[in-house]
């Protein structure tokens, strides 16, 4: 008998019919003799609907109240799923994040898990119960409800798998695995049978939305394999783990794309010690996450500094940057929100030359201008015009023969 943690995304539980289908799937797995802990997201677009509802009440909803509000979506799903299982004759119980022992810090809307106390879950499992946990949420030491940020149910599931010593964490969604590119953009994209934690983390960070990056980091830290598969069929899915075979380390594994990119350039920045800190510390204090940073070569002790943010953070970043530009004596501010990024990802790039050259030439041959470039050991990212992103993905997928 194995202990399995399953996580079902919002599309998998979007309707009453889908919840019944998921209950049947869980029951079938339970019949094999496995102990099952299930983590669920809110139904369909519930979280977005709750955010819109709050916006109709106030332009600035208090963070604490928003977390209490948003946590209700997963509670609805968990209770309905427990009802569906009981209706089929199975023992099942729903637990909130707090009841499941998920402890967090006090950072509302983006809390981080500090501990998982598994006593209640283990007690229910010993009774033969299928345990259904509301994902995306936890509780502080002061008994305040918190949420873990977008995709936080993934993190809930992996954290529970680690704390319970589960054999695997199964992430069941509306796609049957991780692909070499978005199949909607590249029809010939192939499903990857397996992928390493490092490559998956880059994919999740730079455009693939199947899993939350924090969940991948946690899985790697605690050596929890994650199976990404469909809740709509029985296809084998993709296993995310640390023991990927050597044969697949000699090439680009996947092409990632992200349309959520905005660029801000502070023009004519005095090039002197401490100037970068004077810019990025206030941006961080304003809660703005910076992605790519590029500083031009200094001419006469003057330089231009460019950085990217998500489009929803651009207005606030621009507001803060304008104040900073005036304070540090910069000449001007320029901004562009019509950007996207495309990345090639693969561990084979670590010690093999030629990947960057091939990527740049492929984009050049298609007349695609590169605005910015960022790299890691296993990734090369180009910031380009957003209306060129899909063409870039298709061209790079073909150039690197990712479908082979």
């Amino acid at each position: 008998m194995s202990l399995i943690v399953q996580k079902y995304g919002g599309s998998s539980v979007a309707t009453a019919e889908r919840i019944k289908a998921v209950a049947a799937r869980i029951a079938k797995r339970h019949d094999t003799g496995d102990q099952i802990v299930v983590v669920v997201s809110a139904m369909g677009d519930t979280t977005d609907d709750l955010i819109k509802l709050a916006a109709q009440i106030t332009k600035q909803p208090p963070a604490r109240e928003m977390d209490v509000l948003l946590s209700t979506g997963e509670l609805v799903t968990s209770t309905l799923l427990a009802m569906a299982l009981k209706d089929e004759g199975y023992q099942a119980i729903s637990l909130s994040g707090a009841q499941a022992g998920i402890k967090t810090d006090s950072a509302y809307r983006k809390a981080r898990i500090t501990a998982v106390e598994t006593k209640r879950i283990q007690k229910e499992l010993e009774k033969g119960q299928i345990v259904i946990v509301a994902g995306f949420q936890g509780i502080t030491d002061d008994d305040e409800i918190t949420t873990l940020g977008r995709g936080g149910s993934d993190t809930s599931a992996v954290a529970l798998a680690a704390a319970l010593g589960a054999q695997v964490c199964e992430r069941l969604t509306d796609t049957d695995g991780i692909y070499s590119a978005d199949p909607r953009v590249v029809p010939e994209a192939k499903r990857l049978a397996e992928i390493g934690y490092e490559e998956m983390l880059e994919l999740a960070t730079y455009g693939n939305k199947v899993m939350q990056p924090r969940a991948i980091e946690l899985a790697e830290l605690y050596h929890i394999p994650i199976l990404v598969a469909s809740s709509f069929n029985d296809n084998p899915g993709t296993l995310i783990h640390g023991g990927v075979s050597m044969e697949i380390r000699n090439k680009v594994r996947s092409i990632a794309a992200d349309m959520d990119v905005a660029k801000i350039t502070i023009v004519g920045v005095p090039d002197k010690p401490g100037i970068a800190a004077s810019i990025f510390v206030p941006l961080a204090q304003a809660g703005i996450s910076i992605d790519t940073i590029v500083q031009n070569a200094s001419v006469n002790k003057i330089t231009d500094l460019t950085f990217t943010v998500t489009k929803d953070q651009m207005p606030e970043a621009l507001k803060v940057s304008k104040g900073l530009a005036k304070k540090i004596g910069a000449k001007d501010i320029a901004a562009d929100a019509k950007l996207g990024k495309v990345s090639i990802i693969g561990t084979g790039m670590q010690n093999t030359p030629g990947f960057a050259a091939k990527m740049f030439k492929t984009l050049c041959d298609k007349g695609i201008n590169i605005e910015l470039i960022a790299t890691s050991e296993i990734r090369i990212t180009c910031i380009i015009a957003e209306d060129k992103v899909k063409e870039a993905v298709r061209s790079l997928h073909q150039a690197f023969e990712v479908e082979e």
Side-chain angles (χ1 to χ4, degrees), residues 288-310:
I288 297 165
S289 298
I290 307 299
D291 185 10
T292 304
I293 302 173
V294 174
Q295 180 173 306
N296 294 340
S298 176
V299 178
N300 298 323
K301 295 293 183 178
I302 298 293
T303 187
D304 295 342
L305 195 150
T306 299
F307 59 91
T308 62
V309 296
T310 56

Side-chain angles (χ1 to χ4, degrees), residues 216-379:
I216 304 300
E217 291 176 339
L218 198 60
E220 182 176 20
L221 180 63
Y222 289 97
H223 308 290
I224 302 296
I226 302 172
L227 177 68
V228 178
S230 175
S231 63
F232 293 78
N233 58 52
D234 293 321
N235 293 345
T238 301
L239 185 65
I240 305 168
H241 64 130
V244 181
S245 61
M246 292 179 64
E247 286 80 2
I248 62 175
R249 291 180 175 270
N250 61 352
K251 61 184 293 186
V252 171
R253 301 292 317 288
S254 187
I255 313 295
D258 187 357
M259 306 294 280
D260 191 15
V261 181
K263 178 182 73 171
I264 294 175
T265 300
I266 305 178
V267 181
V269 177
D271 189 5
K272 59 183 180 181
I275 203 70
S278 68
I279 294 171
F280 292 111
V281 168
L283 287 167
Q285 291 172 340
I288 297 165
S289 298
I290 307 299
D291 185 10
T292 304
I293 302 173
V294 174
Q295 180 173 306
N296 294 340
S298 176
V299 178
N300 298 323
K301 295 293 183 178
I302 298 293
T303 187
D304 295 342
L305 195 150
T306 299
F307 59 91
T308 62
V309 296
T310 56
K311 289 178 181 177
D312 67 316
Q313 289 197 313
M314 184 179 178
E316 182 64 20
L318 201 52
K319 178 182 176 182
V320 174
S321 297
K322 286 179 178 178
L324 292 171
K326 184 176 181 181
K327 185 176 180 179
I328 65 176
K331 294 180 180 179
D332 199 5
I333 292 280
D336 185 355
K338 295 182 178 180
L339 296 172
K341 57 189 174 188
V342 60
S343 305
I344 60 171
I345 296 167
T347 52
M349 293 190 289
Q350 281 182 306
N351 301 305
T352 308
F355 286 98
K358 189 172 185 177
M359 181 180 191
F360 302 154
K361 187 177 187 306
T362 299
L363 296 178
C364 174
D365 289 345
K366 293 295 180 179
I368 299 173
N369 186 52
I370 300 172
E371 299 276 345
L372 298 170
I373 301 167
T375 65
S376 75
E377 287 185 332
I378 63 171
R379 172 188 49 81

Side-chain angles (χ1 to χ4, degrees), residues 157-168:
V158 174
L160 284 170
L164 291 165
Q167 182 182 38
V168 65

Side-chain angles (χ1 to χ4, degrees), residues 170-181:
E170 298 179 351
R171 205 291 193 191
L172 296 147
T173 181
D174 56 3
T175 181
D176 56 357
I178 307 299
Y179 278 76
S180 58

Side-chain angles (χ1 to χ4, degrees), residues 72-94:
T72 63
E74 282 71 19
L75 292 174
V76 169
T77 310
S78 61
T79 53
L80 291 175
L81 183 55
M83 290 178 191
L85 283 161
K86 287 182 177 182
D87 196 53
E88 292 298 320
Y90 291 84
Q91 296 184 72
I93 186 169
S94 64

